[in-house]
Amino acid sequence: MAQINFGGSVEEVVTREEFPLEKAREVLANETIAVIGYGVQGPGQSLNMRDNGFNVIVGQRKGKTYDKAVADGWVPGETLFEIEEALEKGTIICFLLSDAAQIELWPTVKKALVPGKSLYFSHGFGVTYKEQTGIVPPADVDVFLVAPKGSGTSLRRLFVEGKGLNSSFAVYQDASGNARTKCIAMGIGVGSGYLFETDFYREVTSDLTGERGTLMGAIQGIFAAQYEVLRENGHSPSEAFNETVEELTQSLMPLVAENGMDWMYANCSTTAQRGALDWWKPFKEATKPVFQKLYNSVKSGEQATISITRNSQPDYREKLEVELAELRESEMWIAGAAVRSLRPERN
């Protein structure tokens, strides 16, 4: 493992240099990797592993998602099976269904976990909150996770571009004595740029905080607040959207990703620089109490309870569509659709 100084704290990470793809293939040469679920993470991870030369099959119920798997080149009866058959054939079971669906399918999966098999997750939710989910793996199987730090769509897109998405990895249970090596090999196989070690609890608490915070919840809230202030003060929808979202996502954030926020501050106009330096601390002071409240809610298990309760309701999809429609049909995101349509690459 490589030792990297992260802001004064030295951590060990796994890169492709010390654990190349060839080594990952050797480690998993005798494994049949069964990806259960073809929704959010399933396509990206399974396609990347397939393209990297691993023995991969997919388990998915018949329907639209099954048809998508067929369109992606998975062959019924050869590499695409009903879930029960894929569970039987697989030696590494990649449990990539949604958290709510994992709870529902767990009794079926548990029956297939005979001694010597491995159980793979990309989220620590089910095992961490086992009192609520009922997901308690048998003691004689390896249990580990690789959690790409992004969507399955991004994982696949970056892989196709010859890049990688950073991932965390963790071992929950080492029945074989080889779980950690298999876990790292899986991380390389799915297309990780580098891997940093965590545990199931830290993965789920940081992940739930991030999704509700800067990754999705907080950023949408900040977008909406600034957009509304601009609109209420006479700015047009196109101007408000461009100044709130488009410039950030299309111009500034890619540069921050490449060079860091300090570089961005040093390379913008002096007027922008002065304003950013003056205002970032007030925004931190205003939002940190909200983040602390969020983290406490995650740590206490409240957010897990809310997710399990709401996502398991029979009318969840209908209620979800109403909430998503509020975003989709808001003036800001209708304006955004128009702005995106005018990008040069789309014309």
Side-chain angles (χ1 to χ4, degrees):
M1 296 180 74
Q3 289 194 331
I4 306 294
N5 188 324
F6 291 93
S9 177
V10 177
E11 299 180 33
E12 290 188 335
V13 300
V14 180
T15 71
R16 297 176 186 178
E17 289 186 9
E18 64 264 18
F19 206 111
L21 180 59
E22 292 74 18
K23 181 177 179 179
R25 289 195 190 111
E26 290 174 8
V27 170
L28 302 178
N30 297 320
E31 305 283 356
T32 298
I33 301 167
V35 174
I36 307 301
Y38 206 74
V40 178
Q41 282 288 335
Q45 293 199 32
S46 61
L47 291 170
N48 290 0
M49 286 190 289
R50 184 180 72 182
D51 290 353
N52 270 335
F54 294 86
N55 181 24
V56 186
I57 62 175
V58 172
Q60 177 62 46
R61 300 272 187 240
K62 295 286 180 63
K64 288 183 179 180
T65 308
Y66 184 96
D67 295 340
K68 180 182 184 305
V70 172
D72 285 344
W74 301 100
V75 181
E78 294 182 17
T79 55
L80 177 60
F81 303 93
E82 286 285 345
I83 287 175
E84 288 79 5
E85 189 171 359
L87 287 169
E88 181 181 346
K89 292 179 178 294
T91 58
I92 298 179
I93 307 301
C94 298
F95 205 13
L96 299 183
L97 294 170
S98 69
D99 295 322
Q102 284 186 13
I103 296 170
E104 183 179 351
L105 192 67
W106 176 244
T108 301
V109 173
K110 187 174 182 180
K111 289 178 185 177
L113 292 175
V114 298
K117 289 198 176 189
S118 300
L119 179 61
Y120 167 102
F121 293 91
S122 281
H123 193 20
F125 190 99
V127 168
T128 299
Y129 300 114
K130 55 183 179 292
E131 291 82 5
Q132 294 155 280
T133 65
I135 296 177
V136 180
D140 47 14
V141 300
D142 290 341
V143 183
F144 47 81
L145 70 77
V146 173
K149 298 299 104 180
S151 69
T153 301
S154 298
L155 182 72
R156 180 59 178 169
R157 180 183 296 138
L158 289 169
F159 177 87
V160 171
E161 293 175 358
K163 303 175 183 177
L165 195 64
N166 303 331
S167 303
S168 61
F169 75 98
V171 174
Y172 180 79
Q173 192 166 276
D174 185 4
S176 69
N178 196 38
R180 193 169 186 276
T181 303
K182 284 191 286 186
C183 181
I184 293 172
M186 288 289 293
I188 298 298
V190 301
S192 303
Y194 75 84
L195 295 152
F196 61 94
E197 194 161 9
T198 186
D199 58 44
F200 274 55
Y201 173 78
R202 285 185 292 159
E203 191 286 326
V204 72
T205 50
S206 62
D207 188 71
L208 292 182
T209 300
E211 290 169 346
R212 286 149 179 77
T214 58
L215 303 181
M216 296 173 68
I219 199 68
Q220 165 60 19
I222 291 171
F223 281 165
Q226 179 171 301
Y227 182 89
E228 289 174 10
V229 167
L230 290 173
R231 289 290 289 125
E232 289 163 4
N233 283 276
H235 298 271
S236 68
S238 61
E239 184 171 55
F241 187 86
N242 272 285
E243 291 295 344
T244 300
V245 180
E246 192 75 353
E247 186 173 355
L248 174 71
T249 58
Q250 295 301 296
S251 175
L252 302 187
M253 279 299 106
L255 292 175
V256 172
E258 291 174 16
N259 304 298
M261 186 65 81
D262 56 332
W263 183 94
M264 176 58 67
Y265 275 36
N267 287 274
C268 63
S269 72
T270 55
T271 302
Q273 185 182 80
R274 183 69 267 146
L277 288 169
D278 287 345
W279 279 94
W280 79 264
K281 289 181 180 178
F283 275 109
K284 175 189 172 183
E285 291 166 4
T287 58
K288 189 173 179 181
V290 181
F291 280 102
Q292 190 61 62
K293 181 179 180 181
L294 164 59
Y295 189 80
N296 291 341
S297 180
V298 170
K299 190 175 181 179
S300 70
E302 179 185 22
Q303 289 300 306
T305 300
I306 291 171
S307 294
I308 292 169
T309 302
R310 292 187 182 176
N311 296 355
S312 301
Q313 293 174 351
D315 60 348
Y316 166 69
R317 289 292 173 185
E318 290 79 4
K319 290 179 178 178
L320 174 65
E321 180 53 34
V322 172
E323 292 182 277
L324 292 177
E326 181 183 358
L327 288 176
R328 185 174 59 248
E329 296 169 8
S330 67
E331 183 190 90
M332 180 172 71
W333 290 112
I334 292 174
V339 169
R340 290 192 298 276
S341 72
L342 294 172
R343 289 176 186 165
E345 68 269 19
R346 296 199 177 187
N347 293 288

